[in-house]
Amino acid sequence: MTNALRGADIVARSLERLGCRHVFTLSGNHIMSVFDAALETRLDLVHVRHEAAAVHMADAWGRLTGEPGVAMVTGGPGHANAVGALFTALGAESPMVLLSGHAATWELGRGGFQEIRQADMAAPVSKASFTATSAATLGRDIGEAMRIATSGRPGPVHLSLPSDLLEERVESNAIVWPDARAASGVPALAASIADAVLAEIASAARPVIFAGPQLSNVSGRALLARLEAAAKVPAVILESPRGIADATLGAFSDIVQRADLIVLLGKALDFTTRWATGKGFDPKVRVIAIDPEGALVERAAKEMDGRLALGSIADIRSAAETLIVRAAATKTRSDGWLAEARAALDNRPAAWASIAAQTPGRLHPAQVFRALRPYVESDPDTVLICDGGEFAQWGQSMLPVRRRMINGVAGSIGGSLSFAIAARLQEPKAPVFAVLGDGTIGFHISEFETAVRRKLPFVAVLGNDALWNAESQIQLREYGKERMHGCDLTPARYDLVVAALGGHGEHVEKAADLPGAIERALASGKPACINVMIESVAAPVIRL
Ligand SMILES: Cc1ncc(C[n+]2csc(CCOP(=O)(O)OP(=O)(O)O)c2C)c(N)n1
Ligand SMILES: [Mg+2]
C-alpha cells in the first residue's frame, strides 16, 4: 500500500483542490485525523471557541466571497452545537459546507461514542445533508457538497464523515477526486422569457424588483444596480426579517403600496414580502417569479391565485445579465417612477440628524451612528456587520455601505463577532465594524480570544442598555409596562472582558468621547470593543 492515502488526507487535499484556504473548526476526537492531514496541505485551520462560531465564520466567508466557506466540527455534541448556526446561513442564502466528524460506521446502532443521527439533525437547516459511506469517494462527496452549496439558491450543506472512513487507507488509483467542473444544473433564463418579462415591465406603470439575500454581496448589489439602471425599475434586496419595513429601505413601503407589478428575482414570496397581499399592496398587483427552485415558483403561483403574470426556473445572476442585455433593445421607460422610488429609499427623518439622549451618561443610538459614520465612510471597502435587536437596526439604516452583513431573514442574533473575524481574514486593510447589542455579545464573546490569537483586528461597537431591548419592547407594546420582566441584564463592562482576553477596550458614556474612542480602537490594531452606554429606545421605524 505504498501510494495509499488516509480518508483524512483525501478530505484535506480535496478541500485544497477545490480552492478552500481556511477551515473554521473546533477540535474533537472524530476529526483529529483531518487536523493531522492538514499539515500536508496549505489549509489554514482557524480554530474557535464554539462550533456555532465556526459555522458563522464559514457563513460570512460564503456571503462575502461567493465561494463556499468551510466549517469542520466534531461529531455528536460538536455537530449539535454547529447545527443551530446553519439556520442563519440558510436564511442568508450563504454558500457553505459543514463537515462533521461522526461515530465510526462499525459503531452505528450499537451505542457508539457520540453517536446520533447527524444528517437527520441538520437536514431541515441545510440544502442537503448526508453521511459519507466509503473512504474512496470522500473527495467526490466534498465536491458534491460544494457544488450544491453554490448552485441555484446558495445555502449550507452538511456532510458527516465517519471516523473509521477518515482513518482508512485507500490506494491512489481507487480514489475518486472531486469533479471541479460539475455543472450547477439550474437553467439560464431563456431569451424569449426574458423578453416576456421585459414586456410585462414595459406595460406596467409602477414596477418594482425584489431580489433575495443571495444578491446582497458587493457583486450582487452591483449587478442589481445595473439591472435597475437598464430597466429603469427600482430594485431592492429584501434581506431583513422586517422585509419591506426595514428602515434601511426608508419609505419604500409607500412605493410598494402603489406598485402594479412585482418581479421576484430569486426572492421567495415569504413573510418578508408580506406575500404581496393585504393593505400594503394594490389588490390588483401582479407578480413575476424568477427563481432557481421550481417549488418556490409554484408557491408564488398558489399564493398569488391568478395574479402570477409569469414564472420561470432560472439561475438568478445569469437571469439578471440576460435581462440587462435585452433591456437595451426594448423601449425605454421614463425616469419618473425610478426617481420617486430612489427618493423614498433615501428618506430618513430629519430629526435623526440631531436627536440626542435624554438620560445623562447615556447616548441615543442615533448619536452613536452619527459619530461612527465618517469612519465607516473612510474606505469604500469597509465591512459593516449589524447584529441584535433595536440598537443595531439604527446602525443598519444610518450607515450606507457596499459590504454589509446582517442577521438576515433568519432573524437569528449572535453571529457578528464571528462574521467580523471571517471578514478580516478576507479584507486585509479596510475597517471592519461590528455593531451589536449587549445581550447579543454574550453569545460568542469568547471569539475575541480567537481574534487576538489570530491577530485579526476589528471594532465592535456595543450598544449597552443592560437589556434584551427588542423583546422588552414587545412586552411594553403587547402586555404593558408593569408586565415587563425576564429581559433585564446588568450594565456589564464588556470592554474589560475584551481587554482581559488581550483585545482593546473602551468605555463611553458621553457623545463627545466617542470619536476619540473609535480612533484609539482603530489605531490599537487589536480586536476592540467600545462599550457605549445607550438609552433603551425602540428600533427606527420610517414606515410600518
Ligand atoms: C438566536 C436568537 N435568540 C433570540 C432571539 C430573540 N431576540 C431578538 S433581538 C433580541 C434582543 C437583543 O438584545 P441586545 O443584543 O441587547 O440588543 P437590543 O435590542 O437591546 O438593542 C432577542 C433576545 C433571536 N432573534 N435569535
Ligand atoms: Mg441591549
Side-chain angles (χ1 to χ4, degrees):
M1 296 265 273
T2 43
N3 287 325
L5 289 178
R6 284 173 301 180
D9 296 307
I10 299 171
V11 168
R13 292 176 196 203
S14 296
L15 289 172
E16 193 178 42
R17 281 180 182 220
L18 290 162
C20 171
R21 275 176 282 164
H22 307 288
V23 177
F24 304 102
T25 187
L26 201 157
S27 53
N29 293 24
H30 292 120
I31 53 170
M32 296 326 287
S33 55
V34 186
F35 273 48
D36 185 64
L39 291 171
E40 264 69 60
T41 68
R42 290 186 307 277
L43 292 178
D44 168 30
L45 301 188
V46 181
H47 65 93
V48 304
R49 307 304 304 268
H50 189 289
E51 287 83 358
V55 171
H56 287 316
M57 289 178 197
D59 171 356
W61 186 270
R63 292 196 212 184
L64 285 170
T65 66
E67 303 159 10
V70 176
M72 182 172 68
V73 303
T74 199
H79 175 75
N81 276 350
V83 164
L86 291 175
F87 187 71
T88 313
L90 189 70
E93 303 181 352
S94 173
M96 62 152 291
V97 172
L98 170 65
L99 300 175
S100 298
H102 187 276
T105 49
W106 55 265
E107 287 181 300
L108 299 184
R110 300 171 59 206
F113 175 55
Q114 298 182 336
E115 178 190 353
I116 183 102
R117 294 198 316 276
Q118 295 185 182
D120 287 353
M121 198 173 189
V125 282
S126 311
K127 271 188 84 178
S129 181
F130 59 111
T131 306
T133 54
S134 102
T137 49
L138 281 166
R140 186 182 66 195
D141 287 344
I142 287 175
E144 189 58 7
M146 295 257 198
R147 189 192 63 76
I148 297 169
T150 47
S151 66
R153 168 172 279 98
V157 175
H158 158 253
L159 170 61
S160 266
L161 306 170
S163 58
D164 56 333
L165 302 187
L166 294 174
E167 301 288 356
E168 191 178 319
R169 290 191 170 270
V170 184
E171 279 298 340
S172 59
N173 59 7
I175 298 170
V176 186
W177 291 105
D179 178 3
R181 290 154 308 158
S184 102
V186 180
L189 187 69
S192 58
I193 297 178
D195 289 346
V197 171
L198 291 165
E200 287 285 350
I201 287 175
S203 60
R206 291 172 301 280
V208 295
I209 297 172
F210 290 173
Q214 62 165 297
L215 290 186
S216 68
N217 61 12
V218 172
S219 64
R221 283 179 196 278
L223 178 62
L224 205 58
R226 285 200 291 127
L227 177 58
E228 175 174 291
K232 299 236 175 92
V233 178
V236 299
I237 298 169
L238 297 185
E239 57 170 335
S240 149
R242 284 183 64 190
I244 300 158
D246 178 9
T248 306
L249 301 178
F252 193 63
S253 284
D254 296 351
I255 295 295
V256 173
Q257 193 160 26
R258 292 164 54 211
D260 57 354
L261 178 70
I262 297 172
V263 180
L264 300 170
L265 188 62
K267 175 64 208 171
L269 192 68
D270 63 4
F271 73 104
T272 65
T273 64
R274 299 180 182 172
W275 296 279
T277 49
K279 67 175 167 38
F281 296 86
D282 178 337
K284 294 194 297 294
V285 67
R286 297 164 79 231
V287 166
I288 291 175
I290 304 171
D291 200 280
E293 289 171 48
L296 285 182
V297 176
E298 272 169 40
R299 189 167 92 187
K302 192 160 153 256
E303 290 285 346
M304 294 316 294
D305 195 19
R307 287 185 292 129
L308 189 78
L310 204 156
S312 184
I313 301 169
D315 176 77
I316 293 314
R317 284 178 187 251
S318 79
E321 294 287 3
T322 305
L323 288 168
I324 291 165
V325 170
R326 301 193 79 83
T330 43
K331 85 172 170 45
T332 49
R333 308 177 60 78
S334 66
D335 293 328
W337 172 242
L338 177 54
E340 252 187 273
R342 278 287 136 199
L345 284 159
D346 291 340
N347 180 308
R348 296 291 182 278
W352 289 11
S354 55
I355 196 166
Q358 306 296 309
T359 326
R362 302 263 178 163
L363 278 75
H364 187 284
Q367 288 176 287
V368 178
F369 298 116
R370 288 202 302 268
L372 188 60
R373 185 167 171 164
Y375 301 96
V376 166
E377 288 185 324
S378 68
D379 193 314
D381 291 329
T382 295
V383 181
L384 175 71
I385 298 154
C386 300
D387 186 13
E390 311 302 78
F391 174 71
Q393 289 190 55
W394 284 93
Q396 217 162 289
S397 54
M398 289 181 68
L399 300 170
V401 280
R402 292 188 315 141
R403 297 170 95 186
R404 127 182 149 159
M405 288 182 277
I406 63 171
N407 303 127
V409 171
S412 45
I413 62 176
S416 52
L417 303 177
S418 313
F419 292 174
I421 289 172
R424 177 54 79 214
L425 271 172
Q426 208 258 320
E427 169 52 54
K429 187 177 99 302
V432 175
F433 290 108
V435 163
L436 72 169
D438 56 322
T440 300
I441 200 169
F443 284 82
H444 289 296
I445 198 166
S446 56
E447 293 311 328
F448 271 102
E449 190 277 330
T450 305
V452 167
R453 175 165 33 84
R454 290 296 308 248
K455 299 190 173 51
L456 296 168
F458 65 91
V459 178
V461 179
L462 175 72
N464 190 334
D465 61 351
L467 198 62
W468 298 98
N469 188 27
E471 307 310 309
S472 191
Q473 292 291 329
I474 294 175
Q475 293 179 323
L476 180 64
R477 241 180 9 247
E478 305 289 325
Y479 312 110
K481 197 172 187 328
E482 67 293 348
R483 300 183 72 81
M484 289 166 74
H485 77 131
C487 293
D488 53 312
L489 300 166
T490 59
R493 290 291 302 271
Y494 299 100
D495 54 312
L496 298 180
V497 177
V498 170
L501 291 171
H504 179 88
E506 293 280 345
H507 178 74
V508 172
E509 298 183 1
K510 290 203 294 284
D513 295 340
L514 197 47
I518 297 168
E519 268 159 38
R520 285 190 298 277
L522 287 167
S524 75
K526 294 179 180 174
C529 173
I530 307 178
N531 186 56
V532 189
M533 299 309 297
I534 59 155
E535 269 180 344
S536 291
V537 295
V541 176
I542 300 175
R543 291 293 183 275
L544 284 173

